Amino acid sequence: MNKDWNRFNGIGMVSARTRARMIARLREQGIQDEVVLAAMNAVPRHIFLEEGLMTRAYEDTALPIGRGQTISQPWVVARMTELARSGKNLHEVLEIGTGSGYQTAILAQVAGRVYTVERIGHLVARARRHLRDLGLTNVAISHADGCVGFAETLEVDAIVVTAGTSVLPENLLKHLRPGARMVIPLADDKTRHEGEPVQHLTVVTKTGDESNNFREQKFEAVRFVPLLPGVA
Ligand code: SAH
């Protein structure tokens, strides 16, 4: 772990106690994968926030990161990582929607290599700085529309989409190895809550057999900012 991680120690936010409380809460909320809990314990969340919000870093809530976007709440980050792992080791992972880079840093703890893309240039620059401060060397960030597609040869064990959509980005599915899965907040336009379509964490698994079919499983209801086309 990089020494810089302790640079905010003065305000007590990286105290073992604060982090331990967050881990205890994640356990109560049903997170069971010890590999994920260890990753959540290892990565300081406050460094991904603006100074004025740092004291709130370990609350279980989404917080603004600028340009109308949010850092996901700790439970959501832990749950998506748990679903992406499904108890198996991950070699390569693709993340769509880097945002603050916090989910990226967690994925970088549990995977060999993480490719992450973000459509907003301002956020790419900030996330790049945060990930560098943490000394993470197994992450590649790019400024791009993650739904456009990648080099045909890219094959990953998991794709984590951290923005909500009602349309499954089907052209990403070809990047899944057999047995690999995509975790995505998928909205059902027919079920609405306060006028908004309800999103559920959804896992799309590429079956390992020769049929090359996909299996879809629906999990908890969540609320994400929208997956949008183009770069900004
Ligand atoms: N996991 C992030 C969540 C960021 S919010 C975190 O914890 O900080 C979702 C992000 O997805 C936003 O930053 C948004 O700009 C980005 N996004 C939305 N549509 C996208 C697309 N098509 N390609 C790449 N990034 C996208």
Side-chain angles (χ1 to χ4, degrees):
M1 219 177 280
N2 193 311
K3 286 251 166 29
D4 281 353
W5 288 32
N6 286 325
R7 87 193 129 103
F8 301 106
N9 243 340
I11 29 182
M13 285 178 303
V14 287
S15 75
R17 250 176 64 213
T18 317
R19 210 80 58 72
R21 266 203 302 273
M22 183 179 82
I23 301 304
R25 196 174 54 219
L26 291 172
R27 282 187 201 281
E28 281 164 26
Q29 290 169 315
I31 304 298
Q32 293 181 355
D33 187 335
E34 291 298 331
V35 173
V36 173
L37 290 165
M40 298 292 293
N41 197 35
V43 177
R45 186 166 183 259
H46 59 273
I47 70 151
F48 295 90
L49 293 164
E50 309 253 338
E51 230 162 80
L53 286 171
M54 281 186 179
T55 52
R56 301 187 55 197
Y58 299 97
E59 293 176 16
D60 196 32
T61 161
L63 293 165
I65 55 172
R67 302 294 194 273
Q69 307 304 317
T70 52
I71 181 171
S72 305
Q73 73 183 98
W75 173 80
V76 165
V77 172
R79 184 66 176 135
M80 288 187 101
T81 312
E82 183 171 66
L83 291 171
R85 266 180 44 81
S86 296
K88 296 186 202 104
N89 283 337
L90 300 169
H91 301 289
E92 281 93 24
V93 174
L94 173 63
E95 180 192 34
I96 311 296
T98 317
S100 67
Y102 177 62
Q103 169 82 73
T104 318
I106 298 294
L107 289 170
Q109 302 291 311
V110 306
R113 184 142 192 85
V114 182
Y115 303 97
T116 182
V117 290
E118 168 58 53
R119 62 180 290 277
I120 301 178
H122 169 79
L123 297 179
V124 173
R126 291 188 55 116
R128 197 168 269 148
R129 203 173 61 231
H130 295 146
L131 295 166
R132 200 185 44 221
D133 285 351
L134 293 184
L136 293 173
T137 53
N138 59 339
V139 177
I141 309 186
S142 49
H143 181 205
D145 175 347
C147 294
V148 165
F150 298 84
E152 290 293 322
T153 49
L154 180 70
E155 277 209 321
V156 296
D157 301 302
I159 300 176
V160 176
V161 182
T162 74
T165 177
S166 53
V167 189
L168 191 71
E170 294 203 6
N171 60 341
L172 293 179
L173 296 175
K174 63 172 179 287
H175 299 297
L176 293 173
R177 296 196 168 106
R181 53 224 152 260
M182 176 192 284
V183 185
I184 181 167
L186 205 54
D188 175 356
D189 282 330
K190 282 166 276 169
T191 329
R192 289 181 177 261
H193 176 70
E194 292 169 359
E196 298 282 322
V198 178
Q199 303 168 352
H200 284 94
L201 286 182
T202 305
V203 176
V204 182
T205 307
K206 186 179 204 162
T207 55
D209 54 40
E210 55 285 4
S211 69
N212 259 344
N213 281 333
F214 292 92
R215 186 178 74 231
E216 207 171 296
Q217 296 162 282
K218 208 159 136 180
F219 295 89
E220 295 87 350
V222 285
R223 208 155 171 179
F224 275 82
V225 295
L227 189 69
L228 297 171
V231 288

